[in-house]
């Protein structure tokens, strides 16, 4: 169950205004304050939008017994554990898998209600769009991204890779997009979607790596996804439905934040090591969330 057209228009206007407001706001912050604000964004709405997955699993399966809930919880934690181990032994492959899964997830969230493509083509289109977003961000911050990847995996990627990645993903998306529009499979406006890409171009070129990513992740992904989930669970977008969502996700959100807080305390003063662990943590909780949201979007 998706937003009605009027709600989509209101949400899109909110996202555009919020994006440029955040860019303007950054002018008045130093690098450290900007980074702290970016982490606050990610740790609030960013983590919150994935904190209700067990409730979504119950709704998609129609099972609500306590025993099913416990089995779902154990399975969810098992996936997180497997991903964590995967990162520990083959970090470069795990990171690549994480980026691919996140790219698909970004594309699915944005396009699931905006195109009527058949199944296999939908997945490829979602992936192309998500990779375009990532490579647009990576291209404008190539040296910094290469440094982050090296810190996490000890693997060095030449900065030219991001240009070619942007070129391939961009052309792939545009070919898909033109074909979708030509075959009347587009459920939104062509100019509108191209304008959003222009907004992302300005965002990623103007903002720092962490600030640009946090703005996109929270404003363009997490909040719309959270609204979709509220609509799916409650059948409406209202203050009552939002409060119900917040109450049901609050415990898991707090547990996630507490875990991060403990890790930060343990590794304080070791910024590179903590950042690597933070990437592992976000990757571990992303994979099961991607699977859950894929199930929701197929209903």
């Amino acid at each position: 169950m998706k937003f009605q057209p009027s709600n989509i228009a209101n949400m899109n206007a909110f996202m555009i205004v919020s994006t440029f407001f955040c860019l303007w706001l950054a002018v008045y912050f130093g690098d450290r304050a900007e980074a702290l604000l970016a982490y606050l964004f990610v740790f609030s709405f960013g983590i919150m939008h994935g904190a209700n997955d067990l409730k979504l699993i119950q709704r998609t399966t129609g099972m609500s017994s306590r025993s099913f809930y416990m089995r779902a919880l154990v399975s969810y934690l098992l996936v997180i554990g497997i991903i964590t181990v995967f990162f520990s032994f083959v970090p470069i492959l795990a990171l690549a898998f994480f980026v691919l899964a996140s790219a698909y997830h970004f594309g699915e969230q944005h396009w699931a209600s905006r195109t009527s493509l058949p199944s296999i083509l939908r997945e490829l289109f979602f992936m192309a769009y998500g990779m375009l977003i990532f490579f647009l961000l990576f291209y404008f911050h190539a040296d910094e991204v290469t440094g982050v990847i090296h810190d996490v995996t000890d693997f060095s990627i030449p900065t030219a890779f991001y240009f070619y990645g942007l070129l391939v993903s961009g052309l792939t998306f545009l070919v898909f997009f033109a074909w979708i529009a030509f075959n009347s499979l587009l459920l939104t406006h062509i100019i509108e979607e191209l304008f959003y890409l222009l907004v992302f171009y300005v965002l990623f070129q103007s903002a720092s790596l962490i600030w640009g990513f946090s703005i996109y992740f929270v404003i363009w992904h997490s909040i719309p996804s959270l609204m979709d989930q509220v609509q799916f669970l409650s059948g409406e977008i209202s203050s009552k439905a939002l409060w119900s969502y917040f109450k049901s996700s609050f415990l898991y959100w707090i547990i996630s934040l507490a875990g991060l807080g403990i890790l930060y305390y343990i590794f304080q003063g070791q910024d590179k090591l903590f950042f690597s662990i933070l990437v592992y943590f976000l990757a571990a909780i992303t994979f099961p969330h991607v699977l859950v949201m894929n199930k929701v979007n197929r209903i």
Side-chain angles (χ1 to χ4, degrees), residues 3 10 18 20 26 31 43 55 70 72 74 99 138 142 179 181 197 221 224 253 285 287:
F3 279 169
N10 291 337
S18 298
F20 286 103
D31 292 343
F43 294 159
K55 190 81 171 179
M70 292 307 298
V74 170
V99 171
F138 293 168
W179 185 85
L197 291 178
H221 174 72
W253 178 57
I285 63 176
F287 283 110

Side-chain angles (χ1 to χ4, degrees), residues 22-69:
C22 287
L23 284 176
W24 170 80
L25 194 64
V27 174
Y28 298 95
F29 288 102
D31 292 343
R32 184 169 181 80
E34 184 179 284
L36 288 174
L37 189 58
Y39 284 129
L40 179 62
F41 267 33
V42 173
F43 294 159
S44 55
F45 287 104
I47 292 181
M48 174 69 76
H49 95 282
N52 232 353
D53 285 353
L54 293 177
K55 190 81 171 179
L56 293 170
I57 292 172
Q58 288 181 309
R59 177 57 62 88
T60 56
T61 59
M63 303 288 287
S64 58
S65 65
R66 183 175 180 81
S67 60
F68 175 81
Y69 181 86

Side-chain angles (χ1 to χ4, degrees), residues 33-272:
E34 184 179 284
L36 288 174
L37 189 58
Y39 284 129
L40 179 62
F41 267 33
V42 173
F43 294 159
S44 55
F45 287 104
I47 292 181
M48 174 69 76
H49 95 282
N52 232 353
D53 285 353
L54 293 177
K55 190 81 171 179
L56 293 170
I57 292 172
Q58 288 181 309
R59 177 57 62 88
T60 56
T61 59
M63 303 288 287
S64 58
S65 65
R66 183 175 180 81
S67 60
F68 175 81
Y69 181 86
M70 292 307 298
R71 290 198 303 272
L73 176 60
V74 170
S75 299
Y76 196 88
L77 294 175
L78 183 61
V79 172
I80 291 177
I82 291 172
I83 296 303
T84 303
V85 172
F86 188 26
F87 254 106
S88 299
F89 286 97
V90 279
I92 187 62
L93 290 179
L95 185 62
F97 192 32
F98 171 46
V99 171
L100 289 173
S102 298
Y104 173 82
H105 183 50
F106 289 167
E108 181 183 45
Q109 192 286 316
H110 183 81
W111 286 102
S113 61
R114 299 172 190 246
T115 180
S116 55
L117 271 172
S119 183
I120 301 239
L121 292 178
R122 277 166 58 93
E123 278 71 42
L124 292 174
F125 181 59
F126 294 163
M127 181 67 76
Y129 177 82
M131 291 307 297
L132 172 59
I133 297 299
F134 268 115
F135 275 116
L136 194 60
L137 174 66
F138 293 168
Y139 173 73
F140 285 117
H141 304 281
D143 291 332
E144 193 173 354
V145 171
T146 293
V148 170
I149 293 174
H150 184 267
D151 290 341
V152 174
T153 67
D154 286 328
F155 190 86
S156 294
I157 293 180
T159 55
F161 172 78
Y162 308 118
F163 169 76
Y164 292 112
L166 177 60
L167 184 64
V168 171
S169 60
L171 288 175
T172 303
F173 168 77
L174 289 175
V175 169
F176 257 116
F177 188 68
W179 185 85
I180 292 168
F182 181 79
N183 287 279
S184 302
L185 300 173
L186 195 64
L187 305 179
T188 184
H189 300 291
I190 297 175
I191 300 301
E192 181 181 334
E193 294 301 330
L194 293 177
F195 175 72
Y196 296 153
L197 291 178
L198 178 61
V199 171
F200 300 151
Y201 176 92
V202 173
L203 169 63
F204 295 148
Q205 183 186 47
S206 304
S208 65
L209 174 63
I210 184 64
W211 188 228
F213 174 76
S214 67
I215 292 173
Y216 175 81
F217 181 61
V218 172
I219 294 176
W220 289 89
H221 174 72
S222 299
I223 293 178
S225 177
L226 189 151
M227 293 299 179
D228 278 348
Q229 293 174 51
V230 170
Q231 180 87 39
F232 178 76
L233 291 171
S234 301
E236 63 175 354
I237 302 294
S238 65
S239 56
K240 180 180 178 181
L242 288 168
W243 178 243
S244 176
Y245 181 94
F246 177 76
K247 287 192 297 184
S248 61
S249 61
F250 182 76
L251 178 61
Y252 306 103
W253 178 57
I254 288 297
I255 290 173
S256 298
L257 292 183
L260 279 172
I262 291 171
L263 289 174
Y264 179 78
Y265 178 78
I266 293 173
F267 296 103
Q268 57 182 315
Q270 304 178 61
D271 292 344
K272 288 186 177 180

